[in-house]
């Protein structure tokens, strides 16, 4: 074996990244691996450091951080073709959930760099007016994106309460958007709606399966649209959304696609917890773009 490069975001998960890095490095070195550590506390630093790390041709690149940490460095990682091992240390960790990776044991997650099975997965791509960015989990457009936007702007309270406060604020401000959606180059359809979600994996927000049934290695995206809802009906839908049972409701449509173009006045676009643009976007899939080291047994015990 050559060496393992480890890229750490110590600020991930409100500081969980720092402890997870220490545990991962200690475990890998105890197993006799040569580990070269690169620590970046910003997206810009991580992008610069990953290029340096990959230039040294590691056998495996270990990423310690959340979905957002990995999504910010997707382009150089995919271009290099290096397999990655993800030590989930973010707030949502929805990619780790989708792949059955350990989410509470940094040493077990790091061990996959040595003994895991390589799994080739797809990467989503969002193109907006200003940028093109890869994503791994779900692109959110509409009410859910506005909740994420509000959560990021609130300075109080902390933790889950901040998200719930953002939900309340956006419910008060709820208004339907006039979405125009075109799928796989077909005829664009326009109508009032509450949200649109385009998933490479099933969940966002730490396990909310908005695109229930989506898998990251089928070369397809799952498109979920929720029609215009009032506040009370939206509140009634949320418990179903938390369990993935919302897809059976008549106000929800679900289909699969390779390319989705969405526009709406006032549209906000989020993916992997990051704001990517507004007003209009085209979302597509890059089949088989990323190799991830995963548990030999599929990690079924970690999916729950």
């Amino acid at each position: 074996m050559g060496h393992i490069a480890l890229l750490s975001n110590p600020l991930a998960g409100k500081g969980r990244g720092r402890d997870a890095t220490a545990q991962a490095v200690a475990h890998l070195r105890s197993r006799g691996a040569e580990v070269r550590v690169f620590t970046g506390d910003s997206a810009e630093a991580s992008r610069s450091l990953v290029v340096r790390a990959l230039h040294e041709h590691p056998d495996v690149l270990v990423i310690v951080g959340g979905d957002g940490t990995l999504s910010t460095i997707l382009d150089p990682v995919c271009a290099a073709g290096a397999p990655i091992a993800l030590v989930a240390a973010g707030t949502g960790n929805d990619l780790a959930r989708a792949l059955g990776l350990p989410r509470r044991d940094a040493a077990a997650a790091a061990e996959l760099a040595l003994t895991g099975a390589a799994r080739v997965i797809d990467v989503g791509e969002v193109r907006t007016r200003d940028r093109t960015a890869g994503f791994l989990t779900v692109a959110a457009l509409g009410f859910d994106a506005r909740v994420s936007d509000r959560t990021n702007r609130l300075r109080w309270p902390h933790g889950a309460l901040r998200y719930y406060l953002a939900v309340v604020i956006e419910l008060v401000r709820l208004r339907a958007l006039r979405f125009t959606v075109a799928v796989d180059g077909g005829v664009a359809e326009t109508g009032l709606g509450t949200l649109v979600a385009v998933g490479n994996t099933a969940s966002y927000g730490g396990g909310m399966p908005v695109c229930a049934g989506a898998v990251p290695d089928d070369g397809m995206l799952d498109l979920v649209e929720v029609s215009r809802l009032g506040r009370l009906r939206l509140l009634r839908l949320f418990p179903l959304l938390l369990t993935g049972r919302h897809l059976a409701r008549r106000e929800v449509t679900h289909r699969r696609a390779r390319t989705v173009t969405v526009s709406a006045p006032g549209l906000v676009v989020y993916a992997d917890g990051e704001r990517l643009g507004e007003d209009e976007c085209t979302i597509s899939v890059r089949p088989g773009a990323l190799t991830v080291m995963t548990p030999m047994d599929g990690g079924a015990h970690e999916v729950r």
Side-chain angles (χ1 to χ4, degrees):
M1 189 171 189
H3 75 278
I4 292 173
L6 185 146
L7 178 67
S8 166
N9 176 3
L11 303 182
K14 310 300 182 185
R16 284 182 56 214
R18 185 173 288 104
D19 291 340
T21 297
Q23 294 172 39
V25 172
H27 176 78
L28 291 170
R29 287 178 174 163
S30 75
R31 296 272 279 119
E34 178 190 347
V35 184
R36 302 178 189 176
V37 180
F38 301 82
T39 303
D41 57 3
S42 69
E44 292 75 15
S46 293
R47 282 191 286 266
S48 175
L49 288 169
V50 78
V51 172
R52 284 176 48 195
L54 291 169
H55 184 71
E56 297 177 1
H57 303 292
D59 291 316
V60 180
L61 174 66
V62 176
I63 309 294
V64 182
D67 296 332
T69 301
L70 179 52
S71 66
T72 61
I73 58 171
L74 271 176
D75 285 344
V77 170
C78 292
I84 69 156
L86 177 62
V87 178
T91 54
N93 299 320
D94 287 288
L95 180 64
R97 180 177 284 100
L99 298 180
L101 307 181
R103 290 178 278 122
R104 302 171 185 87
D105 187 337
E111 172 66 21
L112 296 177
L114 304 174
T115 59
R119 180 177 177 183
V120 178
I121 67 169
D122 307 329
V123 169
E125 179 181 277
V126 177
R127 283 185 285 120
T128 65
R129 180 178 59 244
D130 301 320
R131 62 186 293 198
T132 298
F135 73 95
L136 296 156
T137 60
V138 178
L141 309 96
F143 177 78
D144 46 355
R146 289 186 174 277
V147 169
S148 295
D149 206 37
R150 178 70 60 179
T151 302
N152 289 344
R153 286 186 282 131
L154 290 173
R155 293 293 174 262
W156 179 93
H158 299 291
L161 288 177
R162 184 169 60 170
Y163 176 81
Y164 296 138
L165 177 59
V167 169
V168 172
I169 293 173
E170 291 304 319
L171 273 173
V172 171
R173 298 165 58 90
L174 180 67
R175 60 182 178 85
L177 292 178
R178 185 167 293 279
F179 289 107
T180 298
V181 179
V183 176
D184 292 336
V187 177
E189 301 174 357
T190 300
L192 292 174
T194 300
L195 66 86
V196 173
V198 183
N200 183 47
T201 63
S203 71
Y204 60 8
M208 192 178 298
V210 64
C211 294
V215 293
D217 56 3
D218 60 356
M220 301 290 287
L221 299 166
D222 281 54
L223 169 62
V224 174
E225 300 170 82
V226 179
S227 63
R228 181 180 186 179
L229 297 177
R231 295 180 182 88
L232 185 58
R233 288 180 66 193
L234 182 56
L235 280 172
R236 288 174 177 168
L237 185 66
F238 257 92
L240 300 178
L241 196 154
L242 291 172
T243 58
R245 293 180 293 148
H246 59 294
L247 298 184
R249 301 287 298 184
R250 67 177 184 276
E251 59 264 53
V252 180
T253 60
H254 176 211
R255 46 185 162 162
R256 306 178 77 228
R258 288 185 172 85
T259 303
V260 181
T261 298
V262 183
S263 64
L267 181 72
V268 177
V269 184
Y270 263 76
D272 291 346
E274 306 294 325
R275 181 171 177 146
L276 299 181
E278 51 278 321
D279 297 332
E280 182 175 3
C281 68
T282 295
I283 303 169
S284 56
V285 61
R286 307 175 192 166
L290 181 67
T291 301
V292 184
M293 304 303 290
T294 60
M296 297 292 288
D297 63 358
H301 61 287
E302 282 285 346
V303 174
R304 294 188 297 274

